[in-house]
Amino acid sequence: MAQILVVDDSGTVRDEVCNFLRANGLAVASAMDGKDGLVKLKADSSIKLIISDVNMPNMDGLTMAEKIRTELNNSAVNIIMLTTENSPSMKERGKAAGIKGWIVKPFNGPAVISSIKKLSG
Amino acid sequence: MSIRYRITLLIALSFAAIFAIGAYAIFQAKSNATQVKNVTEKVVPSALAASDLVSQLKDVQLEATALVTATDKNIIDQVNENLTAKKAKLQEGIELQARQATNKAQQGLIRQIKENINNYFNAVDDTAKYKLAGQNELANANFYANATEFQRELGQIIETLRVEKIRTKDQAISALNQNLSQTATGISVVSIITILMLSVFGIILYRRIITPLRQMQTMMSEIATSQDFTRQVPVERMDEIGHSIVAFNMMIVKIQERSAELKQKTTDILAMLQNIPQGILTIIEDNKIHPEYSTYLETIFETRNMAGRDIMDLVFSNTNIGADALSQIEAVMGACIAEDVMNFEFNQHLLIGEIEKKMPGGQTKILDLSWSPIADDTNTIVRIMLCIRDVTELRKLAIEASKQKRELEIIGEILSVTQEKFHEFIAGSIRFIDENELLIRENPGHNADAIAYLFRNMHTIKGNARTYGLNHLTNIVHEAEQSYAELLKPRPAIAWDQATMMENLLAVKESVEHYARINELSLGRKGPGRRGNIDHYMMVEKRQIRETLQRLEKVNTSNLHELLAAHSSVQGTLRLLGTERIAEILDGVFASLPALATELGKEPPIIDIQDNGYVIHNHIAGLLKNVFMHLLRNSLDHGLESPGERLQQNKPAAGKIKLQMAAQDGMLQIRLGDDGRGLALARIRKIAIEKNMISSDTLLDDEETANLIFLPGFSTADKVTEVSGRGVGMDAVQNFVKRENGMIKIHFYDDKTGANFRQFEFIVSLPQIFSENVKGIDFHTQTTIDGILAELKFTEALPVAG
């Protein structure tokens, strides 16, 4: 049972984000890439928000988001992307896949926590 | 009447007309049907029956004839039987005709038929009776004589009835046809009239609706095309269209109000953007700058035409921001524009608030950046607004202010120590520092004795500094002392490093010297203590230093005006430190004048000083004392006459010496004049010729002659007196002043050109930086000059605090 699923191939980033969210009283699960993310999301229906990296091996974050909407037919879960840069084509894909927001790395907890709580509540 | 009523009326009328036409048609159809029924069921069958009567009569006649001619008994009976039946049938036919008689003619005919038929039947019955009785002859005779006659008459009457019946039938059919035709005509006429009426009514209604609608449409199109919202569509009638037009006009008025408001707002915003002394721009997609930006932005960035330029290029090129931070800013803008406003919250911490940017002109500016999202109704960010302030000056002032603050604190600290004690402290500290310097130099490596000595010395300085409350110094000394304390430990964490130790010592030395410099120069407290005129030092009270400090501490460093005001106030306070009034500087000189006057057999002069608020930095006090000592003694010796001489000339016995201060062309001018006999030009010339400074035929004007007194070796005194001629001539005095970039001039203020004596004054000019004007200083806490003057007091050096 988790409210938030953190998807990132970097263990450091994953741990940092997860620890921060846990410290703020949020239930968190994590996944290593897009494929893993899909599996974890399918297994846990209580997930309300996914915070995902864009570039990952096996399956990137945007593809995962698209598959969540089409294959899992899940339009309810909120998705936020962690990114370092963005291009118009990326934003367009994101919009189509119902991406709620873009957080430019590094992930800065205190500034985003209130919005994250709203999205995962 | 409203259009709704008209249309309703038209529909109602149409219904009424259709109903009327229908009712009329039904009524006519019904009456025609009765007529048709009458014709088909009564008139026609009756006519046919009348025709039948003729044949029935013939049948009866034929049977009667057959009876007469019959011979056989059986046949007679048979014929008689037939005859009876046919008679009955004829009788029945006649009865039917009697019932169907429709007019008097027919009734009359029927009546005749009935009379004749009885006669006929009687005759036939008689014939039959005779025949049955076998009286054939009688039967024959009766039959042919009576029956046949009656039959012929009856036949004629029946024929007449038949003709009459056919005529009646024809008449009925003709009447029926006429009725049907009338009905058709009637319905047609009513229908045509109704259609005409409805058409007329409809056309009127159509015109009433369509014409104003078309007008309204035209006007609305014109207004929409011209955007001239001052126009109105005229209202002709208060029907639905009229109401629509009124509503439209109201809408136009509202639109006009709104568009005027919008125009005003746009103008306001444009004016604001043009005039606001702040850089404001908005960023649209692809990080481009929106064409509407504040004009001041061009001043900040020293460039024009920023519309459509890349924000990263305009604002962030040539700045102190690293490539990674720049890429973050770029990514944040991309992540925000056209996205939910939440994205700004997520990322705004990455948007940098202050940058240092090298401008095209070569200057480096510090820019304060403030970012905010502009979102639409759906909370989607359409643009990012960036407000840019050039805070270069502000930051510079803030640094300046913190320096001032430190300076003030140091001054406050020094003022809390008596001059004597402070002097002792400085001298002692310098001694310890020098000792330490020597010790460090002599010991390139660790030396336990040396470090103990070093520590003790530094500890003493720190202890003294702390005792006197010299906090800034204490902090610096503390650092050096701590490094010694570390080296004192059996296993010091730091190495014995001569260079570092010298560096630390130098810092202490500089700080001590800084304190000493402030004490001497700013506060004018040189030496162990001043004798005589220490009371006369113009100093700022401790309280004022404290207030000024508080002011500096409270100042909002992001507000340029506040910072400037505080800065100038502090500047004023600082400037007044170590200044004196000329009256106080020359106090000793003035004090010596009465004795000198007595010695010269003159009345002590009255001194009139007008300093006009100018005070003088006390480091040129010595110079002024020397200069004015000389000038004032000269005035008393050469200028002012003896009391007797003065009284003869109607002057008061006591001479008057006037000293005035003013500033002109960046110079402080001190004018000194007296009401004595004036400058002895003839005597000056004579002396100059005697001393071979000029030849006897040299032509000089008054100014040139007067300036001879500034030549080296010129002395006007007959003998070297105690007073003026102390071996220091006017040339030396002039040189003192020139050394400080000043000048002494002689100015005649009478118009007696060429006279032996001329009224004059000395003008001593010195660079204005040697003076301050208390009237020009804005203390902010005081509103009047008197208040400011009251604030500044001639204070004694303050006692040691605590």
Side-chain angles (χ1 to χ4, degrees), chain B residues 213-252:
Chain B
L213 270 180
R214 218 173 259 158
Q215 278 174 354
M216 185 170 87
Q217 188 196 7
T218 312
M219 283 295 279
M220 284 177 181
S221 301
E222 277 174 19
I223 290 169
T225 317
S226 67
Q227 298 270 305
D228 177 6
F229 299 123
T230 54
R231 289 175 65 181
Q232 296 263 300
V233 182
V235 182
E236 282 165 12
R237 270 185 303 271
M238 281 314 290
D239 52 14
E240 281 87 343
I241 294 170
H243 286 298
S244 303
I245 294 173
V246 169
F248 176 80
N249 285 342
M250 270 163 67
M251 186 181 78
I252 290 288

Side-chain angles (χ1 to χ4, degrees), chain B residues 663-680:
Chain B
Q664 202 178 343
D665 304 330
M667 299 296 275
L668 170 74
Q669 291 193 341
I670 311 170
R671 295 161 173 260
L672 182 75
D674 60 52
D675 64 348
R677 59 173 75 92
L679 194 62

